[in-house]
Amino acid sequence: MSYLVYARKYRPRTFSQVVGQQHISRTLLNSIRSGRLAHALIFNGPRGVGKTSMARILAKSLNCLQPDDGEPCGQCDNCRSIDHGSFLDVMEIDAASNRGIDAIKSLIEEVHYAPSTGMVKVYIIDEFHMLTKEAFNAFLKTLEEPPEHTIFVLATTDLHKVNQTILSRCQRHDFRRIAPSEMTQALGDILRQEQVEFEPDALKLIAQNSEGCMRDAESILDRVVSYSGDHIISADVMELLGIAGNDLLISIFTALQQQDLSRILEALQQAGQRGTDMQPLTAQLMQMCRAIYLARIGVEQRDLDSMTRSALQELGSSFDVTQIDIMYSILRECFVEMKHSPFPQYDLEFALFKCTQLAPSVEVDRLLAAMEATPNQHQELPEDPGLPPQPSPATQKKTPEPASHQELTDISRLQQQLVKELAQEQPHVAALLHNSQLRRGDSDESYVLMVPPHQREFFTEEKQQTLQKNLSALVQKPSRLVLRSDATSTSLAAQESQLQEQRSEQLRQQLLQDEMYQDIVRRFQGSLHSFRLLKPGDVGDQA
Ligand SMILES: [Zn+2]
């Protein structure tokens, strides 16, 4: 018998064999058992996740001569001929290649004949959204008065291109990308049947590089088995896929953190020698960036081995969230651009050099949390239970407030408000805005945003529109926002941190003057060791 690729050899043949789509298998089985299956079904989802397989299983289930509680037997004549694609009452049409109205017309003409050998005629129309408008309309008439004993399965990877009226006539099923854990499980099952040994990590790598598409995963597995023989190891998978190991990725981020350009070059060269392609490598760096971010905000990543996890912890604590965010943007842009580049490696080198230039910034989320906790902090000093009672009027006189440095300007407060409003929906825009300085323009409705030159390129047209729209809403009149690259202006983040320092110093002075404090110091013969402002959350943590 000729060689069958795994995707065909291990194609699921019953509802229970379909990987990762249990929610749909269950719904369909229940509908079949209760005799309440709709006449037209939409199977929506990415490619290679089992839509056509599910449709064929459904066709078998409806035509099987000895079904077992809704599951097709797989043995009877009908099941077998559907599996072989020779059953007359199951029609598969690829709309991507039969787009015209003629194809649909001939389908509609046939629709009204009773099934020839089976019980139910099943039309499986793949890439349904590709039909022309006329074909859609012709088809709609059939859907309005569906012939008996006929089921339509309309599979699509692009639901929003499907006509709304047709959508409303169909029962919709959304297929998911297959989760990595389910995928490794399924790949392992195949290898056990093939009697091929494997390292579990090798299958994880395949799953990570298939983007939830089972068909892709199986095709990679085919190639790996041809390459490695009866024992699959991770190194073979990496070599075959042209991808880098976690150790290399971590060494690149460590070099970024240490601003070690020569080590970055070395790592890329090493990757090139191992046959790693630059574009997948960039994608892997993006994934790693996300993993660092998750580590930074304390999300546990169980999929990773303990060594990688602890390396990520370390990297996470050495970058702040804004830096990680911007690094991700730089890498993403590089990934898109390098498709058209004659020198992908140079692109990646320059992108990584750019990443080394990112200075740590003040963390937006911490500042926002602080602002929310003390909404009037520009006007009033925060009340703090960790500090001694307010000084008496007598002591206050000794420390006049440096009033001129107490508050943000009106325009900065407006910017602060804007950052706060954007933080939830558009955290990236909020972070960029926070690292810039808003100024008034020449007229009432114009504003200028002073942006650090290295961040200028992240303000895409779309982001500028978002800013302008939100600004207009905030000041309640149509406003115009102009961007200007400027390395010298003080960003809102920097202003806030200066203010925080001033406040802290002022409170420290007040404390030193406080009679009760002086009394305590005298009694215990102590001195002020350190002083910092606490947020309400901090106090709770320590309690
Ligand atoms: Zn059967």
Side-chain angles (χ1 to χ4, degrees):
M1 196 178 147
S2 62
Y3 177 74
L4 264 187
V5 294
Y6 291 158
R8 285 193 58 197
K9 188 170 175 185
Y10 293 98
R11 181 188 276 268
R13 303 200 182 277
T14 60
F15 286 113
S16 61
Q17 285 175 1
V18 181
V19 177
Q21 314 293 354
Q22 289 84 350
H23 59 300
I24 297 174
S25 295
R26 194 175 147 181
T27 314
L28 290 178
L29 263 174
N30 282 338
S31 313
I32 292 166
R33 285 171 189 154
S34 62
R36 296 170 66 177
L37 191 69
H39 274 282
L41 308 166
I42 288 214
F43 283 6
N44 167 48
R47 48 178 282 279
V49 295
K51 296 190 296 295
T52 318
S53 298
M54 188 76 90
R56 287 190 195 141
I57 294 166
L58 177 68
K60 280 196 289 184
S61 168
L62 296 171
N63 285 292
C64 179
L65 299 171
Q66 44 203 6
D68 178 13
D69 200 20
E71 283 278 20
C73 73
Q75 303 300 324
C76 68
D77 286 348
N78 289 0
C79 280
R80 280 160 174 262
S81 68
I82 292 174
D83 276 339
H84 290 128
S86 56
F87 194 66
L88 288 174
D89 294 320
V90 175
M91 261 78 50
E92 282 191 39
I93 297 155
D94 181 11
S97 54
N98 286 291
R99 294 196 56 204
I101 188 158
D102 291 342
I104 281 290
K105 264 188 186 154
S106 64
L107 180 152
I108 291 167
E109 277 161 22
E110 287 169 26
V111 153
H112 296 281
Y113 298 117
S116 53
T117 44
M119 284 85 86
V120 181
K121 280 170 90 169
V122 180
Y123 289 88
I124 303 169
I125 308 183
D126 214 4
E127 300 296 353
F128 180 71
H129 61 273
M130 301 280 277
L131 288 180
T132 58
K133 201 178 165 203
E134 292 76 17
F136 260 133
N137 289 337
F139 188 69
L140 192 57
K141 290 206 183 80
T142 314
L143 275 190
E144 270 161 3
E145 286 172 37
E148 257 191 83
H149 309 299
T150 305
I151 300 278
F152 293 100
V153 179
L154 314 176
T156 177
T157 49
D158 211 347
L159 190 70
H160 73 269
K161 286 193 186 147
V162 176
N163 180 303
Q164 275 300 321
T165 324
I166 289 188
L167 267 184
S168 67
R169 302 258 189 289
C170 300
Q171 189 182 67
R172 175 175 150 190
H173 298 272
D174 292 318
F175 284 65
R176 299 178 185 143
R177 288 185 191 281
I178 322 281
S181 57
E182 287 174 309
M183 202 174 254
T184 45
Q185 175 76 41
L187 296 176
D189 288 345
I190 292 180
L191 290 181
R192 275 183 283 272
Q193 291 180 62
E194 294 285 320
Q195 298 187 320
V196 173
E197 288 177 27
F198 58 91
E199 282 180 5
D201 279 350
L203 300 193
K204 278 189 192 167
L205 276 174
I206 297 178
Q208 277 166 15
N209 285 278
S210 313
E211 289 166 17
C213 171
M214 196 64 206
R215 202 190 303 149
D216 284 358
E218 285 166 335
S219 128
I220 295 173
L221 193 66
D222 254 318
R223 284 160 54 205
V224 175
V225 172
S226 312
Y227 181 79
S228 307
D230 55 8
H231 187 78
I232 295 180
I233 55 171
S234 306
D236 286 349
V237 177
M238 283 193 259
E239 202 171 322
L240 198 79
L241 292 177
I243 56 173
N246 281 342
D247 50 342
L248 184 86
L249 301 174
I250 286 168
S251 79
I252 290 179
F253 275 100
T254 310
L256 281 181
Q257 190 257 324
Q258 294 164 349
Q259 301 186 313
D260 187 342
L261 301 187
S262 61
R263 215 170 126 199
I264 292 173
L265 284 178
E266 211 174 285
L268 290 188
Q269 207 161 14
Q270 202 185 338
Q273 280 162 0
R274 283 192 210 166
T276 307
D277 295 328
M278 289 302 133
Q279 206 175 7
L281 177 60
T282 311
Q284 283 187 285
L285 288 169
M286 286 164 68
Q287 284 174 331
M288 189 55 86
C289 216
R290 174 177 178 270
I292 294 172
Y293 185 88
L294 293 181
R296 178 78 177 85
I297 59 172
V299 176
E300 201 187 341
Q301 301 172 76
R302 293 206 192 95
D303 275 359
L304 301 168
D305 59 87
S306 60
M307 228 165 76
T308 308
R309 266 192 304 210
S310 76
L312 285 177
Q313 282 296 341
E314 209 163 297
L315 284 169
S317 59
S318 58
F319 292 110
D320 67 45
V321 283
T322 313
Q323 275 178 303
I324 304 173
D325 186 16
I326 296 175
M327 279 197 288
Y328 186 86
S329 303
I330 293 175
L331 288 168
R332 188 179 172 282
E333 205 160 304
C334 171
F335 180 85
V336 174
E337 294 295 322
M338 76 196 327
K339 278 180 190 161
H340 312 290
S341 167
F343 307 113
Q345 183 169 336
Y346 299 170
D347 291 344
L348 185 53
E349 281 172 11
F350 277 107
L352 291 174
F353 290 169
K354 217 187 274 179
C355 289
T356 63
Q357 306 299 315
L358 297 172
S361 59
V362 181
E363 291 166 37
V364 184
D365 45 359
R366 274 184 55 187
L367 276 167
L368 283 175
M371 268 184 255
E372 267 157 24
T374 53
N376 295 322
Q377 65 176 324
H378 340 286
Q379 288 92 26
E380 294 165 23
L381 297 169
E383 291 257 334
D384 200 317
L387 291 173
Q390 283 293 307
S392 63
T395 49
Q396 261 180 347
K397 272 183 201 153
K398 292 180 205 160
T399 54
E401 296 190 355
S404 58
H405 298 293
Q406 271 309 297
E407 291 180 21
L408 290 172
T409 57
D410 283 352
I411 184 74
S412 294
R413 240 181 285 170
L414 175 68
Q415 185 182 356
Q416 208 174 36
Q417 192 62 34
L418 194 56
V419 169
K420 201 168 165 182
E421 290 197 356
L422 285 164
Q424 199 66 31
E425 298 290 322
Q426 303 265 0
H428 190 198
V429 183
L432 287 169
L433 177 64
H434 198 229
N435 280 318
S436 320
Q437 190 195 50
L438 188 68
R439 292 185 187 172
R440 290 199 187 283
D442 328 327
S443 64
D444 235 17
E445 68 278 5
S446 82
Y447 294 86
V448 184
L449 192 62
M450 311 301 276
V451 176
H454 68 278
Q455 291 190 8
R456 174 64 183 84
E457 62 179 302
F458 303 123
F459 285 87
T460 56
E461 193 56 39
E462 197 189 333
K463 291 199 172 83
Q464 292 184 43
Q465 292 293 339
T466 306
L467 279 171
Q468 185 162 297
K469 204 181 81 201
N470 282 274
L471 179 62
S472 301
L474 194 60
V475 298
Q476 295 178 339
K477 64 180 169 196
S479 305
R480 203 163 56 84
L481 184 69
V482 184
L483 254 66
R484 199 169 296 159
S485 281
D486 180 76
T488 57
S489 55
T490 314
S491 70
L492 175 62
Q495 293 171 43
E496 285 169 344
S497 103
Q498 281 168 10
L499 204 64
Q500 190 81 2
E501 272 170 36
Q502 283 170 9
R503 254 183 233 127
S504 170
E505 176 55 23
Q506 191 197 356
L507 276 175
R508 198 177 73 88
Q509 290 300 335
Q510 280 185 5
L511 177 68
L512 289 174
Q513 302 291 336
D514 184 75
E515 282 169 14
M516 189 189 281
Y517 166 79
Q518 289 169 353
D519 187 38
I520 292 171
V521 170
R522 255 195 313 277
R523 278 187 208 199
F524 292 97
Q525 298 183 336
S527 64
L528 184 62
H529 173 63
S530 72
F531 178 89
R532 77 186 170 95
L533 277 183
L534 295 173
K535 294 178 301 199
D538 293 342
V539 177
D541 289 344
Q542 287 168 2

